[in-house]
Amino acid sequence: MATAPASQPLPVPTARRRDRRGVIAAVISLLVLLGFATLVQTQANGYQQQIVVLVFIYSMVAVALAVTSGFTGVFSLGQIGFLAIGAYVSAVIDIPPMWKDEITLADLPPWLAKLDMTVYPPQISLFIACMAAGLVAALVGLLVGAPLMRLSGHYVAVATMGFLIIVYTLVVNADGYTAGSRGLSQIPGWTNAWVAAAWCAFTIYAAWRLRNSAQGRAMIASRENLLAARGVGVNVLRTRLLAFVWGAFITGVAGALLGHQVGTIAPSQFYFQTTFVVITMVVLGGMGSFFGAVVGAVIMTILPEYLRDVDTGLTIGSYTTPALYGLSQIILAVGFILVMIFRPTGLLGDRELGIGLLSKRSPNDDAFGDSELLTPPSAPGLDSVPMDSRE
């Protein structure tokens, strides 16, 4: 029998080299985003800074909803409930003790009423509040999602809407913990463009990594064909629950950032109107694309600000229109209708841009790189052995 030649070390698969491009692209995108945040924080006025911070925050919420609903096909109407949880949890933690008195927040535990986070550096305190808000929202998401993620279609949409109503009702009626319909004020304004940009970059990168992971492919498989996904061994409940809890964590963090930006929160900020705005962001950009969710968040945050002057009159050449309050909303609605007519799947559909585009593999490449490199001969030198001697 012929002697098999010594095995040679396998070269690095092409797919792995391209994965490194994705990491490099992610780092470059992060640096660009932080550079933009630095420019806004140092050069823009207060109003422009607030708008940019809102874009970052609502981009986080939209991406979370895109993962929860777009990746799995489970349409959730309760995402803003996690935004409220995150905002109130972080506010109760960071409000100075002098404002957590027996009149305003009478039912708080003594240790929480005396907790003073202002003795620490602001960004450390904000980070702790964000993590606490995200973890509490994720825990609630786990408890709520365990039974709800067994549902599909409009059933889960109605059930998650019920969750939103429950959260809103508790916030309004739990006066001793949330100050009820009066809302909470005196929240330290620690959210700036750098912090919001960093959390937004983390959200986008985490969503990108999740989409390209085994769990992400399982989510998309369950969305495309539920029976086929179960047939190949996908645990549909676990993948849906993972997306739901992940989205709850990110939305809870966004709620903390929102509360620390405006300095005051009230139950009316976290109900149906905000829910419909965020859903519009995701549908406008594309339900299956987290980058499309970011595009939708940018449009839905900035465009209404620029159209606000239309309500009081618009000058076109020598002609000035009379004041028509609500005209800006009509223009937005017509724009959405046109998008849905000509782009039913949204502006981007299920395509990804940004870091996903920079790291995209060539269509001619095998999904696992060069197959001949990844699949060496099972017995080197076997071809040199006569057929008769192999038996």
Side-chain angles (χ1 to χ4, degrees):
M1 180 181 294
T3 303
S7 60
Q8 299 295 326
L10 296 175
V12 178
T14 306
R16 295 181 184 177
R17 293 197 296 268
R18 288 193 176 89
D19 286 343
R20 295 171 186 169
R21 288 175 51 192
V23 176
I24 295 173
V27 173
I28 293 175
S29 301
L30 175 61
L31 294 177
V32 171
L33 188 61
L34 293 179
F36 173 72
T38 301
L39 180 65
V40 170
Q41 192 67 29
T42 56
Q43 302 297 326
N45 57 40
Y47 172 75
Q48 293 170 338
Q49 291 179 19
Q50 295 295 317
I51 294 299
V52 172
V53 170
L54 283 176
V55 168
F56 288 141
I57 293 174
Y58 280 111
S59 293
M60 293 174 60
V61 181
V63 170
L65 183 59
V67 172
T68 301
S69 299
F71 284 16
T72 64
V74 177
F75 193 69
S76 173
L77 292 175
Q79 202 72 21
I80 303 304
F82 299 118
L83 191 71
I85 292 173
Y88 276 92
V89 168
S90 64
V92 171
I93 291 175
D94 281 343
I95 290 177
M98 63 179 297
W99 300 105
K100 294 186 285 189
D101 52 34
E102 296 181 355
I103 298 177
T104 305
L105 300 173
D107 296 332
L108 285 183
W111 67 269
L112 187 56
K114 297 178 181 178
L115 182 62
D116 188 5
M117 298 298 293
T118 59
V119 299
Y120 304 106
Q123 296 309 318
I124 298 297
S125 300
L126 178 59
F127 178 77
I128 294 174
C130 287
M131 291 301 299
L135 291 175
V136 171
L139 178 60
V140 175
L142 179 62
L143 297 176
V144 172
L148 295 189
M149 291 302 103
R150 300 176 185 274
L151 306 175
S152 298
H154 56 275
Y155 300 104
V156 69
V158 173
T160 52
M161 183 176 64
F163 164 71
L164 173 63
I165 295 173
I166 291 173
V167 171
Y168 176 81
T169 304
L170 290 176
V171 168
V172 170
N173 291 281
D175 291 357
Y177 297 96
T178 65
S181 58
R182 301 188 308 274
L184 292 175
S185 59
Q186 306 301 325
I187 305 173
W190 292 334
T191 301
N192 55 36
W194 288 311
V195 175
W199 275 108
C200 183
F202 167 77
T203 301
I204 295 173
Y205 180 72
W208 174 65
R209 296 290 296 182
L210 179 61
R211 181 186 178 96
N212 291 279
S213 67
Q215 292 294 336
R217 290 192 292 270
M219 294 174 190
I220 296 174
S222 64
R223 178 195 69 189
E224 295 298 328
N225 194 315
L226 187 61
L227 294 178
R230 286 173 174 166
V232 297
V234 173
N235 189 325
V236 175
L237 175 60
R238 185 174 63 186
T239 56
R240 286 180 173 181
L241 189 58
L242 173 63
F244 194 72
V245 172
W246 187 91
F249 175 83
I250 295 298
T251 307
V253 173
L257 296 175
L258 182 63
H260 285 77
Q261 183 213 17
V262 298
T264 180
I265 54 177
S268 59
Q269 296 175 246
F270 309 103
Y271 209 34
F272 288 128
Q273 182 176 0
T274 308
T275 298
F276 295 145
V277 170
V278 174
I279 291 175
T280 303
M281 293 176 183
V282 179
V283 174
L284 181 65
M287 284 291 292
S289 169
F290 63 84
F291 191 82
V294 174
V295 172
V298 172
I299 294 174
M300 286 300 299
T301 305
I302 295 179
L303 192 58
E305 296 295 327
Y306 280 95
L307 291 177
R308 185 171 296 177
D309 294 336
V310 174
D311 293 342
T312 58
L314 181 64
T315 300
I316 305 177
S318 59
Y319 177 74
T320 301
T321 62
L324 297 172
Y325 295 101
L327 181 60
S328 61
Q329 301 300 316
I330 295 176
I331 294 175
L332 286 174
V334 171
F336 300 151
I337 292 173
L338 293 177
V339 170
M340 291 299 100
I341 291 175
F342 295 102
R343 297 286 299 180
T345 59
L347 296 176
L348 295 182
D350 59 353
R351 294 177 299 172
E352 301 292 358
L353 299 179
I355 56 178
L357 181 62
L358 293 176
S359 63
K360 186 177 181 181
R361 301 173 186 171
S362 172
N364 296 325
D365 294 328
D366 188 83
F368 299 100
D370 297 330
S371 58
E372 66 272 18
L373 299 181
L374 288 177
T375 311
S378 57
L382 187 62
D383 292 338
S384 61
V385 180
M387 291 293 296
D388 295 340
S389 62
R390 296 185 189 181
E391 300 179 356

